[in-house]
Amino acid sequence: MSETAKLILNGKEYELPVYEGTENEKAIDITKLLDQTGYITLDSGYKNTGSTKSAITFLDGDNGILWYRGYPIEQLSEYASFIEVAYLLIYGELPNAKELTYFQNSITQHTLVHEDMKRFYEAYPTGAHPMGVLSSMIASMSTFYPEAQNPNRPFKDIEMTMHRLMAKMPTLAAQAHKVSIGHPIIYPRNSFSYTQNFLNMMFALPTEDYEIDPVVDDALNKLLILHADHEQNCSTSTVRIVGSSQSNLYSSVSAGIAALWGPLHGGANQAVIEMLERIKADGGNTDKWIEKAKDKNDSFRLMGFGHRVYKNFDPRAKIIKKACDDVLNRLGIHDPVLDIAKRLEEVALQDPYFVERKLYPNVDFYSGIIYRAIGIPTEMFTVMFALGRLPGWIAQWKEMVEQGEPIGRPRQIYTGANKRDYMPMPLRG
Ligand code: CMC
């Protein structure tokens, strides 16, 4: 702590400590403000509020920088496996060979889901959205592993909960998909890698093996890495705030999945494809839809555009756009919505409305086109985001517990009625 901030309120001066992160980002510490002054701060949407000190992910929105534990996203997505990145996020360092084998083996051994859980699937209506199914299945895991209730257990026990989640979430996600299309569930296979196993559970049939295309496997690995963490976003903050009441990890992650589902957050990847399809069906006139997005009387927004933090470009979008071209070329697919997406981007990036508001394509703008090319149905897109984000949620929950953070409890400014007396019904007319 080198500087302090001064606040003058009603003629009285208060000194507030300033914190500096390892990349020189600065924060004024207001934890004692209420006690000292009687005032709280007001910041809807937490646009300018640091909720924690975290050593997991560094993000510089102005310069389009994203690092996991110090490693640039460009290097990790090019060279690492998703499992290595998950280890890095959760444990803090890249694994050596022995550590990676331990982690991989433990996850492989826990991919089976308790058979009793299959009965839940029978209760969901046809067409149930897989995000709703996944969120409730993950919450249900806490009933199968009640020992997870206490987050203050020895690390070995908590570690088992983390490994179980990493292991079972792809199984539950693929099962949700199979059930939704009326196909029998495909069980996990221990001989496959994490991503191969997921693809097999999604696409194999009891009557027919699924041949895993290395191009598809590569693309999935990259997409999961690019989604693995993104510091204190809506779903991660949800995981931390639920966990701050000492609720167990399964429930906290289940709440994170619910938060991710919304179209302003992870649900945007589904919304982007639906939007592109709508534009295509409407004749493909991108200018018309750009005008609609700018019109304040029209609720339409350009999905996959804009970001709370990135104000020049989203580094993930850059990588995904290239991956999208590569995957479609290598699979020999021509998807007309990719042409529409590129036209929209081109027009929007020159339009003063988008330029002035610093609205750029985000991670979700091109990811859906890749998912579609590799055979993932639209309703599963946000589930894919959740699979990628899982190690980030786990790492953030673990950090929150280890830092002994207090229960999350924001304040408010009350704008309701002043005190009034209750009147019995006959007097109210
Ligand atoms: N299309 C048209 N106008 C937009 C858009 C958009 N996609 N995004 C923001 N704006 C306008 C907004 O109307 C506002 O204009 P004005 O200043 O005239 O009122 C201005 O830009 C600032 O927008 P905001 O809503 O105050 O910005 P925010 O930081 O609160 O919201 C956002 C960020 C991502 C929710 C928003 O940009 C959005 O709704 N984008 C579309 C949904 C989307 O793609 N979400 C995925 C985010 S990335 C994945 C993830 O990590 O969750």
Side-chain angles (χ1 to χ4, degrees):
M1 230 186 331
S2 46
E3 345 165 13
T4 52
K6 284 205 169 89
L7 173 72
I8 300 167
L9 260 180
N10 299 325
K12 209 170 158 202
E13 196 172 289
Y14 301 91
E15 209 159 274
L16 301 167
V18 170
Y19 276 99
E20 193 169 333
T22 42
E23 286 298 316
N24 309 323
E25 66 289 14
K26 293 184 179 169
I28 300 169
D29 182 351
I30 50 113
T31 26
K32 299 212 165 64
L33 190 71
L34 179 63
D35 290 344
Q36 286 174 345
T37 65
Y39 284 64
I40 61 164
T41 54
L42 187 61
D43 182 21
S44 306
Y46 314 114
K47 291 199 177 198
N48 198 39
T49 294
S51 59
T52 190
K53 291 180 218 149
S54 178
I56 300 171
T57 288
F58 174 69
L59 201 164
D60 176 344
D62 289 332
N63 295 307
I65 289 173
L66 173 62
W67 303 340
Y68 299 159
R69 303 279 188 189
Y71 296 100
I73 192 66
E74 291 79 7
Q75 292 177 24
L76 293 172
S77 64
E78 186 68 30
Y79 304 115
S81 72
F82 176 62
I83 278 295
E84 255 182 299
V85 170
Y87 187 100
L88 170 70
L89 287 167
I90 296 170
Y91 292 89
E93 294 295 336
L94 280 170
N96 60 30
K98 198 172 146 208
E99 289 161 340
L100 186 60
T101 306
Y102 158 73
F103 188 54
Q104 248 163 352
N105 287 349
S106 176
I107 287 175
T108 306
Q109 277 163 24
H110 290 95
T111 47
L112 271 177
V113 167
H114 198 295
E115 284 291 296
D116 282 352
M117 285 190 84
K118 275 205 300 198
R119 286 187 290 142
F120 296 148
Y121 290 120
E122 291 162 21
Y124 293 112
T126 313
H129 195 288
M131 279 300 271
V133 175
L134 186 65
S135 174
S136 33
M137 293 301 267
I138 295 293
S140 304
M141 279 180 70
S142 60
T143 65
F144 284 81
Y145 303 100
E147 68 277 13
Q149 297 300 343
N150 174 9
N152 301 313
R153 295 162 296 147
F155 179 68
K156 271 277 153 219
D157 298 346
I158 295 189
E159 190 184 33
M160 182 46 64
T161 306
M162 296 172 182
H163 291 191
R164 277 203 179 107
L165 261 173
M166 284 293 300
K168 295 184 203 300
M169 192 134 124
T171 313
L172 289 168
Q175 286 182 349
H177 165 62
K178 285 290 190 186
V179 170
S180 76
I181 56 169
H183 281 190
I185 280 164
I186 300 293
Y187 283 91
R189 287 261 299 275
N190 287 1
S191 54
F192 286 143
S193 74
Y194 195 80
T195 43
Q196 289 169 342
N197 186 39
F198 176 71
L199 289 168
N200 191 62
M201 290 188 292
M202 280 287 291
F203 300 121
L205 289 167
T207 47
E208 215 175 297
D209 284 345
Y210 168 73
E211 205 177 308
I212 297 162
D213 185 329
V215 173
V216 172
D217 188 24
D218 253 26
L220 179 59
N221 189 61
K222 207 183 271 289
L223 282 164
L224 294 182
I225 291 174
L226 290 169
H227 287 90
D229 195 52
H230 213 235
E231 53 117 298
Q232 309 312 315
N233 54 80
C234 175
S235 59
T236 302
S237 301
T238 301
V239 169
R240 285 183 89 125
I241 207 162
V242 171
S244 76
S245 72
Q246 304 207 342
S247 186
N248 65 72
L249 181 56
Y250 297 119
S251 312
S252 306
V253 168
S254 162
I257 295 170
L260 187 73
W261 192 359
L264 296 192
H265 191 11
N269 56 15
Q270 176 174 340
V272 169
I273 282 287
E274 288 166 353
M275 171 189 82
L276 294 173
E277 283 292 352
R278 220 171 125 197
I279 297 175
K280 191 178 112 198
D282 187 48
N285 181 352
T286 43
D287 290 345
K288 170 181 162 189
W289 290 84
I290 292 276
E291 287 313 311
K292 270 168 80 62
K294 288 158 48 177
D295 181 355
K296 293 290 168 202
N297 298 315
D298 190 324
S299 62
F300 174 75
R301 273 193 170 197
L302 199 52
M303 299 313 289
F305 252 74
H307 199 274
R308 173 60 63 80
V309 185
Y310 294 121
K311 298 299 173 198
N312 276 320
F313 66 94
D314 178 340
R316 303 166 302 171
K318 239 182 167 178
I319 300 168
I320 289 185
K321 186 178 178 188
K322 184 173 176 306
C324 186
D325 279 332
D326 288 353
V327 171
L328 267 64
N329 283 338
R330 275 148 74 192
L331 294 177
I333 294 174
H334 175 77
D335 190 338
V337 301
L338 178 60
D339 301 333
I340 295 180
K342 285 187 174 168
R343 268 208 316 276
L344 276 178
E345 179 183 352
E346 211 178 296
V347 178
L349 291 185
Q350 287 169 15
D351 189 300
Y353 174 95
F354 293 90
V355 174
E356 278 158 21
R357 290 170 180 77
K358 300 187 171 183
L359 301 170
Y360 296 83
N362 60 48
V363 68
D364 287 323
F365 197 61
Y366 289 103
S367 63
I369 299 173
I370 306 185
Y371 288 136
R372 196 149 94 145
I374 65 181
I376 309 273
T378 312
E379 288 222 318
M380 283 291 287
F381 288 1
T382 316
V383 169
M384 303 307 296
F385 193 150
L387 285 182
R389 186 53 54 88
L390 179 62
W393 288 333
I394 294 174
Q396 300 272 351
W397 183 92
K398 175 171 174 270
E399 183 180 70
M400 187 264 317
V401 171
E402 286 171 353
Q403 286 181 176
E405 288 181 11
I407 186 166
R409 202 329 187 160
R411 297 272 179 161
Q412 66 164 22
I413 293 295
Y414 174 67
T415 56
N418 293 114
K419 181 176 177 277
R420 43 191 172 161
D421 290 324
Y422 175 77
M423 245 189 246
M425 184 54 90
L427 295 175
R428 294 208 302 270

